[in-house]
Amino acid sequence: MPASDASGQLAEQLLRLTRRLHRAQKRYLEPLGITPAQARLLRTVALYDAEPPRMADLAARLEVVPRAVTTLVDALEANGVVRRVPDPSNRRVIRIELTDAGRATLRALRQARRSAAEDILEPLDARERELLGSLLDTLAGSPRDRVDDR
């Protein structure tokens, strides 16, 4: 098989796996009343230790337009998992912080993601999982480029 055919086949396999993982995560997130995009935003908010992020920080980190962040924050705020708070040094700036319910939801999200991943990875033994993890790290680039699961 020519290299271009093999690369195309690998790309298709990765896309199918991504769709399968997305469906599994969606299934586990559904009982929490949260979408995958909202879950990603919630995880991103949790990354900011020193002070809550601004909407613009979130948009840049997620690589989306600010309007998309506004829509996600609106939904999460309506569910009581985040709140908008004024910046103490600049009253024109609004920051987004987790509520206690948001931290609890984040813990549930982590468990839902682990369960979805376990569904997908079930056929692999520990050695195969370690190898897959190493290969995915290589393909994903530097750790700075990724949103983690804290």
Side-chain angles (χ1 to χ4, degrees), residues 3 13 30-31 39 45-46 51 62 67 78 85 87 91 95 98-99 103 116 123 136 141 144-145:
Q13 288 172 305
E30 196 172 325
V45 170
E51 66 181 342
L62 295 170
R67 178 70 189 124
V85 294
D87 184 298
R91 66 186 181 131
R95 296 190 175 272
L98 292 174
T99 63
R103 283 183 276 286
L136 291 173
R144 290 181 316 233
D145 297 337

Side-chain angles (χ1 to χ4, degrees), residues 52-53 77 83-88 90-91 93-97:
E77 190 174 38
R83 68 178 149 249
R84 289 173 166 92
V85 294
D87 184 298
N90 183 346
R91 66 186 181 131
V93 174
I94 299 296
R95 296 190 175 272
I96 307 304
E97 69 179 15

